[in-house]
Amino acid sequence: MEVNGEKPARRRTQAERTATTRARLLEAGRELFAGHGYAAVSTQAVVEAAGVTRGALYHQFGDKAGLFAEVYEEVERGLVAAITERIASAAPADQLAAMRVGARLFLEECSAPAVQRIVLIDAPAVLGWARWREVGMKYGLGIVEAMLAQAMSDGVIPEQPLRPTAHVLLGALDEAALYIARARDGDDALRQMVMVCDRLISGIAGD
């Protein structure tokens, strides 16, 4: 029914309201966790920033740790998407060059203060090392394996066990990122670790 020639606004469904509430909580949590660290952020601060009730947070995520876990996964997904896009934009000469570019971009992305705080400082402490490693593997292992498989197919690195090699390379990248996050001089640590990872990739290639 139209009133004065205008159609009434469509009422949002429960699913739409739930999705909006969830998105607000994730956005508020991510900003607060990145800016202040997990321990310094209260559930009250999160719900006030999101403009929702405390009950909504508990309903959606269980507790603050549950919200943080979802924020962490969101950041990991974003990292993979950003690195994949930036590798494509760089148009490396071959797959070996793409691996080197990817390693450098990973370390650069992880050097951002917000990523360092959520992914490298708080996530291992809040979720435990095993869960932190599991999520990192979930999002990072696939892209590392795909790049290694393509490099082997292209003949730019010799045939070798794919999954074990991917685990070693991803583990090295994670340790490099942690080293940078803890360094007094992050820029110098980043420069050094890019060179170290370049040499590691050269070793995998047999150079």
Side-chain angles (χ1 to χ4, degrees), residues 86-186:
R86 290 181 66 188
I87 290 173
S89 297
D94 57 30
Q95 197 62 23
L96 184 58
M99 289 173 59
R100 291 193 172 102
V101 170
R104 175 176 58 79
L105 292 176
F106 173 79
L107 296 178
E108 288 178 355
E109 292 283 344
C110 286
S111 295
V115 175
Q116 284 189 343
R117 167 62 69 177
I118 292 172
V119 174
L120 301 173
I121 298 173
D122 282 343
V126 175
L127 304 178
W129 188 90
R131 176 61 178 155
W132 172 74
R133 187 75 173 135
E134 177 187 346
V135 174
M137 284 287 182
K138 176 181 175 182
Y139 293 101
L141 188 61
I143 186 171
V144 172
E145 277 195 338
M147 295 184 77
L148 280 168
Q150 188 62 55
M152 291 181 203
S153 177
D154 293 346
V156 294
I157 67 172
E159 290 291 330
Q160 52 198 288
L162 179 59
R163 178 60 61 90
T165 305
H167 272 265
V168 168
L169 183 53
L170 184 58
L173 289 169
D174 282 343
E175 284 299 317
L178 285 168
Y179 177 87
I180 295 166
R182 294 165 179 161
R184 289 182 179 273
D185 186 339

Side-chain angles (χ1 to χ4, degrees), residues 177-194:
L178 285 168
Y179 177 87
I180 295 166
R182 294 165 179 161
R184 289 182 179 273
D185 186 339
D187 290 339
D188 187 56
L190 173 61
R191 179 186 60 79
Q192 291 179 346
M193 278 302 180
V194 167

